[in-house]
């Protein structure tokens, strides 16, 4: 048993710890504490049955102000508060709405009725999961006459312990709320989101289960003269996703569709491709020049006629309505709806070196700065490049599986005049690989200039032409196949490479949009601000940034503590009074009676 008569001197630190399912150290160490160490003259007994204290605590799922609605005053808003003073324990809302748990502890779990009524009040600014498992949300207080008190809310148990973690198990982790940022920006700032941030049609913040817990031993704080040694505040957030919707994604898909649809034309255009003709001419020349020279003939032009191509692009087009993502799952893009989802847990957790956005110091502003934008840009780029890789793979398969038929016409010169004759080699429909392998049966025909026929006078010419046809028939398909294969896959300007380059160029506007939209919403000089582990300081004299909560501080004359709050997340509209607190718990003020 400890007693002190007269002035108090801080000599012993006693910390009360509430059980929790997350491993979070007390966050109050980030405060610079100016301790107070005096009290009214008297006897203070912190032992069992010792000096009685007035204690207070509360827990509220939503607080603050939004679109002119004071959420702290909404009777429908789920929450609980308690005070234990000379008159006994008073709980708001009183039992039976709040459940007595014994030992001055009470809980007020979220109900369907409260949720429905609350949703009507909030309108289209904040959407609550009306079909969610309501067992995840609870509000809890415990107010004891020995000076100990606890306030908790959100995903907390009937002992006030936090029950949520950064990665909830199961396919459908609990969702606390969806904040409609477009409507909040319009309501708070009077700005249209698409005007404020070019290319952004809509934005929302999907917040997973949230929780906070505050505990205080007021008697120990008075005895030691230190609030910090007797105050503990914790929070947890099971995921935060920023969802962006933009027509830029639709433009990407439309442009990609155009590139894919143009593949037929690109392949057919190879009939006049200089590289293909040059490669084909080179191959033919090596075979027929000796025969033609012996007959006094020369090799003229080579043309490809009646090229017919059949490409099956079904698998390629099947990728146009996918949801794509980077390897770490930071950014996902729904190509069908145009929605871009950013996992802020993963993005910011890597930047802060924490597990998601849990375990951060008090009042950490989740600022989208240059370093985070660079990481986000890398993730967005990776997601889109992964998609282009998939498209390229399917396009390669389609090109390798294409079938075609054609006629190769070899024009023969006699002297310096016009072509004297031609040899036409007809290639039946065959796959590209079959063409390369020389599989098809090629038929040949000989035509003399002017429609002349083979006679004794043209015997030498006709014999030479027939020899040319005989030489080319077994190899012309392989020569054409090799030339087309190079034009499709290996030359400097091949179809596959130019198609990939065109697809990558289409992704640039999406990458720019994601960076600009995220910076515009939560960056420096942004529209909104998001703070994790929002706390007011144990000592109002400290200059730490803190929420705009009007709460009394410690009073050395009476030995009372201040009121100490913690919210899992706090959203503000910059330059306005809009402040939305998610899962806010508090303890105090407490004082000897």
């Amino acid at each position: 048993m400890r007693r002190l008569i007269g002035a108090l001197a801080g000599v012993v630190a006693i910390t009360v710890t509430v059980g929790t399912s997350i491993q979070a150290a007390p966050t109050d160490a980030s405060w610079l504490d100016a301790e107070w160490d005096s009290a009214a003259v008297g006897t203070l007994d912190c032992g069992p049955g010792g000096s009685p204290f007035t204690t207070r605590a509360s827990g509220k799922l939503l607080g603050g102000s939004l679109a002119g609605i004071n959420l702290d005053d909404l009777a429908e808003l789920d929450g609980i508060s308690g005070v234990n003073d000379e008159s006994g324990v008073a709980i708001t809302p009183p039992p039976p709405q709040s459940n007595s748990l014994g030992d001055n502890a009470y809980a007020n779990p979220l109900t369907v009725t409260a949720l429905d009524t609350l949703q009507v009040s909030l309108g289209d600014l904040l959407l609550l999961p009306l079909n969610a498992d309501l067992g995840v949300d609870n509000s809890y207080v415990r107010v004891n006459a020995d000076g100990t008190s606890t306030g908790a809310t959100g995903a907390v148990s009937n002992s006030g312990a936090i029950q949520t973690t950064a990665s909830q198990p199961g396919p459908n982790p609990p969702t606390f709320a969806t904040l409609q940022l477009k409507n909040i920006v319009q309501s708070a700032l009077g700005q249209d989101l698409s005007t404020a941030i070019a290319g952004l049609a809509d934005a929302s913040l999907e917040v997973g289960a949230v929780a906070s817990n505050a505990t205080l031993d007021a008697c120990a704080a008075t005895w030691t003269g230190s609030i910090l040694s007797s105050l503990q505040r914790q929070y947890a957030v099971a995921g935060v996703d920023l969802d962006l919707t933009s027509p830029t994604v639709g433009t990407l898909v439309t442009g990609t569709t155009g590139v894919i649809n143009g593949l037929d034309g690109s392949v057919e255009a190879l009939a006049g491709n200089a590289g293909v003709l040059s490669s084909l001419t080179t191959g033919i020349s090596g075979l027929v020049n000796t025969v033609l020279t012996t007959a006094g003939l020369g090799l003229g032009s080579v043309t490809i006629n009646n090229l017919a191509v059949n490409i099956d692009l079904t698998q390629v087009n099947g990728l146009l309505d996918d949801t794509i993502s980077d390897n770490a799952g930071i950014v996902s893009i729904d190509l069908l709806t145009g929605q871009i989802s950013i996992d802020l847990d993963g993005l910011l957790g890597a930047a802060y070196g924490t597990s998601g956005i849990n375990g951060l110091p008090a009042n950490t502003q989740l600022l989208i700065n240059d370093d985070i934008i660079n990481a986000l840009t890398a993730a967005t780029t990776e997601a889109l490049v992964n998609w282009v890789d998939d498209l390229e793979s399917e396009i390669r398969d389609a090109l390798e599986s294409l079938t075609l038929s054609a006629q190769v016409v070899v024009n023969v010169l006699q002297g310096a005049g016009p072509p004297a004759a031609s040899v036409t080699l007809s290639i039946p429909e065959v796959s590209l690989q079959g063409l390369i392998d020389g599989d098809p049966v090629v038929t040949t025909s000989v035509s003399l200039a002017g429609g002349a026929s083979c006679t004794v006078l043209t015997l030498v010419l006709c014999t030479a032409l027939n020899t040319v046809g005989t030489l080319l028939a077994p190899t012309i398909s392989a020569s054409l196949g090799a030339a087309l294969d190079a034009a499709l896959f290996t030359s400097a300007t091949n179809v596959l490479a130019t198609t990939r380059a065109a697809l990558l160029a289409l992704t640039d506007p999406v990458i720019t949009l994601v960076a600009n939209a995220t910076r515009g919403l939560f960056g420096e000089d942004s529209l909104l601000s998001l703070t994790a582990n929002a706390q007011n300081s144990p000592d109002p004299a400290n200059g730490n940034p803190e929420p705009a909560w009007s709460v009394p501080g410690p009073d050395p004359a009476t030995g009372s503590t201040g009121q100490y709050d913690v919210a899992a997340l706090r959203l503000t509209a910059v330059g306005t009074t809009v402040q939305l607190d998610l899962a806010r718990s508090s303890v105090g003020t407490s004082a000897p009676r």
Side-chain angles (χ1 to χ4, degrees):
M1 184 177 297
R2 298 166 294 167
R3 292 182 172 83
L4 182 66
I5 301 177
L8 300 180
V11 293
V12 180
I14 298 176
T15 302
V16 173
T17 303
V18 173
T20 175
S21 62
I22 62 171
Q23 302 299 315
T27 60
D28 308 287
S30 61
W31 297 112
L32 301 176
D33 180 52
E35 295 183 357
W36 49 277
D37 58 3
S38 62
V41 175
T43 300
L44 182 64
D45 180 359
C46 291
S51 303
F53 270 71
T54 293
T55 53
R56 294 178 176 83
S58 68
K60 200 174 188 66
L61 280 168
L62 285 171
S65 175
L66 187 62
I69 303 172
N70 188 338
L71 300 176
D72 292 325
D73 291 341
L74 275 182
E76 301 86 5
L77 190 58
D78 189 49
I80 192 171
S81 62
V83 59
N84 188 338
D85 56 17
E86 294 88 345
S87 302
V89 176
I91 300 297
T92 304
Q97 183 174 340
S98 294
N99 303 324
S100 175
L101 305 174
D103 296 328
N104 302 318
Y106 295 82
N108 184 15
L110 185 64
T111 66
V112 174
T113 301
L115 195 62
D116 287 342
T117 306
L118 180 58
Q119 184 62 80
V120 172
S121 300
L122 294 173
D124 58 359
L125 297 171
L126 189 150
L127 302 179
L128 297 168
L130 300 180
N131 297 321
D133 178 7
L134 299 179
V136 74
D137 288 314
N138 193 22
S139 294
Y140 170 92
V141 294
R142 183 166 185 163
V143 283
N144 292 327
D146 64 1
T148 59
S149 56
T150 298
T153 192
V156 297
S157 69
N158 276 347
S159 65
I162 291 176
Q163 298 293 296
T164 188
T165 62
S167 55
Q168 289 287 79
N172 299 306
T175 297
F176 174 65
T178 299
L179 281 63
Q180 302 289 71
L181 301 183
K182 174 183 178 180
N183 299 331
I184 291 175
V185 167
Q186 179 67 52
S187 172
L189 302 173
Q191 295 188 46
D192 182 80
L193 189 61
S194 60
T195 301
I197 302 176
L200 185 59
D202 200 359
S204 61
L205 201 66
E206 186 174 321
V207 182
V210 291
S212 67
N213 173 293
T215 66
L216 174 65
D217 186 339
C219 192
T222 304
W223 175 266
T224 63
S226 171
I227 291 294
L228 289 181
S229 64
S230 304
L231 172 66
Q232 188 176 62
R233 289 179 283 188
Q234 298 175 328
Y235 78 103
V237 182
V240 180
D241 289 336
L242 176 61
D243 294 331
L244 312 172
T245 302
S246 171
T248 305
V249 177
T251 301
L252 166 66
V253 175
T254 300
T256 301
T257 302
V259 171
I260 293 171
N261 289 342
L263 281 174
D264 273 315
S266 297
V267 175
E268 289 179 357
L270 293 178
N273 183 281
V276 173
L277 294 178
S278 174
S279 176
L280 190 60
T281 301
T282 300
I284 292 173
S285 297
L287 289 171
V288 303
N289 269 343
T290 301
V291 174
L292 294 177
T293 301
T294 301
L297 303 172
L299 180 63
S301 62
V302 177
T303 59
I304 304 174
N305 296 332
N306 302 323
L307 177 66
V309 181
N310 182 24
I311 305 176
D312 185 359
L313 297 171
T314 302
Q315 297 300 317
V316 181
N317 288 316
L319 297 175
L320 297 180
D321 58 0
D322 271 4
T323 296
I324 62 178
S325 68
D326 63 298
N327 297 336
I330 301 297
V331 175
S332 63
I333 304 172
D334 188 328
L335 300 173
L336 186 62
T337 65
Q339 180 171 290
I340 304 166
S341 295
I342 302 168
D343 176 11
L344 293 185
D345 264 342
L347 178 66
L348 296 171
Y352 291 112
T354 59
S355 174
I357 57 175
N358 292 297
L360 296 173
N363 300 322
T364 298
Q365 185 180 4
L366 305 179
L367 182 67
I368 307 298
N369 56 28
D370 288 342
D371 289 341
I372 294 173
I373 286 293
N374 290 338
L376 177 60
T377 297
T380 308
T381 301
E382 185 175 75
L384 291 165
V385 169
N386 286 347
W387 180 56
V388 171
D389 287 345
D390 291 341
L391 286 169
E392 181 185 15
S393 178
E394 293 294 346
I395 289 171
R396 176 182 288 276
D397 288 347
L399 291 175
E400 289 177 344
S401 301
L402 65 80
T403 60
L404 55 86
S405 60
Q407 288 181 335
V408 178
V409 180
V410 180
N411 294 307
V412 178
L413 304 178
Q414 191 173 35
S422 64
V423 179
T424 300
L425 301 106
S426 299
I427 302 172
E429 185 176 17
V430 64
S431 69
L432 178 60
Q433 190 58 52
L435 191 67
I436 294 171
D437 294 339
D439 290 341
V441 177
V442 178
T443 58
T444 63
S445 62
V446 173
S447 298
L448 301 181
S453 59
C454 288
T455 65
V456 173
L457 295 176
T458 58
L459 180 61
V460 173
L461 175 60
C462 289
T463 300
L465 293 176
N466 286 326
T467 302
V468 168
T470 301
L471 288 171
L472 291 181
T475 59
I476 191 65
S477 61
S479 297
L480 179 58
L484 289 175
D485 186 71
L488 289 172
F489 303 117
T490 62
S491 69
T493 57
N494 70 78
V495 169
L496 192 63
T498 55
T499 298
R500 177 183 177 85
L503 294 174
L504 286 174
L506 292 170
T507 67
D508 290 341
V510 177
I511 297 169
T512 301
L513 169 80
V514 171
N516 290 345
T518 310
R519 191 193 296 273
L521 286 169
F522 295 111
E524 298 172 354
D525 302 320
S526 59
L527 300 173
L528 304 169
S529 173
L530 191 64
T531 301
N533 192 17
Q535 298 184 12
N536 61 329
S537 172
D539 184 347
N542 290 336
N544 299 299
E546 60 184 61
W549 290 332
S550 298
V551 293
D555 184 353
T558 63
S560 67
T561 69
Q563 176 180 316
Y564 309 114
D565 294 64
V566 55
L569 285 175
R570 174 167 51 95
L571 177 76
T572 58
V574 176
T576 74
T577 59
V578 171
Q579 177 176 299
L580 179 63
D581 305 321
L582 308 184
R584 176 178 166 186
S585 302
S586 72
V587 284
T589 59
S590 300
R593 294 179 190 171

